[in-house]
Amino acid sequence: LTGLTGGQRDYVKAFARNSKGTGYCSAPATLLTAANTAPKVSSLTVMNIQDDNAKAKAFVSDAGGNGLTIIERGFVWSNNGITPTLENNTGKAIAATTDNFEALLNNLDPSTSYMVRAYAKNNKVQEAGYSQPISFMTGQTYAPTLTEGRHELVKFDRITISA
């Protein structure tokens, strides 16, 4: 049987037809198709936060159905207050193909608040599965500022200077 909807109960009766008519089985058989869903993604963490990048890690806890495979996983982020998706984001990073996955979130702006989500897609369901979003703030490094230098010890072969 083809064209069935996942996670739905269907009733089927066998029949036979000949020149004298049609005969049916007395009771219908009940079929429950497997319910494929978007993958489940969890354990999102963001670490090593720098001025313009951060490292994100997550875990695919369920592929979305028996025998399904993950075909893409990664991270999406935004810095404009929206919850990021694959269709609406400020940036995206695709990760390596393991259940525990990580990627570098690049091209971030310094001293900016971001919301990030991990995502995964399987080979049967069009929609991606997302982790819960988390927020983080990038750093802001400044060039060092030096005060006036002064010399403290002058000898014929060296000078000691402090600043």
Side-chain angles (χ1 to χ4, degrees):
L1 300 175
T2 61
L4 301 177
T5 302
Q8 181 173 310
R9 187 174 310 278
D10 292 290
Y11 301 94
V12 180
K13 255 187 166 180
F15 71 94
R17 183 176 295 154
N18 65 20
S19 62
K20 300 291 183 187
T22 304
Y24 293 92
C25 289
S26 58
T30 303
L31 303 175
L32 180 60
T33 54
N36 296 327
T37 63
K40 290 181 179 47
V41 184
S42 60
S43 304
L44 173 61
T45 58
V46 177
M47 63 200 80
N48 302 339
I49 300 168
Q50 305 296 317
D51 294 352
D52 62 353
N53 67 74
K55 184 178 186 179
K57 286 185 173 187
F59 177 71
V60 176
S61 55
D62 183 347
N66 207 7
L68 298 185
T69 56
I70 301 298
I71 58 171
E72 185 179 322
R73 71 207 81 215
F75 303 92
V76 289
W77 60 90
S78 68
N79 64 354
N80 54 10
I82 64 161
T83 301
T85 64
L86 284 167
E87 295 77 26
N88 193 3
N89 61 66
T90 304
K92 173 183 169 183
I94 297 174
T97 56
T98 62
D99 287 340
N100 285 309
F101 59 99
E102 62 184 55
L104 193 63
L105 314 181
N106 280 316
N107 301 316
L108 305 178
D109 294 325
S111 196
T112 303
S113 180
Y114 285 92
M115 186 179 296
V116 64
R117 292 169 88 187
Y119 76 91
K121 295 173 77 175
N122 65 33
N123 59 329
K124 292 287 184 190
V125 179
Q126 280 193 318
E127 297 83 29
Y130 294 95
S131 69
Q132 290 296 314
I134 62 172
S135 296
F136 70 96
M137 182 101 173
T138 52
Q140 178 70 49
T141 305
Y142 300 97
T145 304
L146 297 176
T147 59
E148 252 184 68
R150 57 178 192 239
H151 65 291
E152 295 178 358
L153 176 63
V154 178
K155 296 212 173 195
F156 76 95
D157 62 343
R158 67 178 172 266
I159 298 175
T160 303
I161 299 175
S162 64

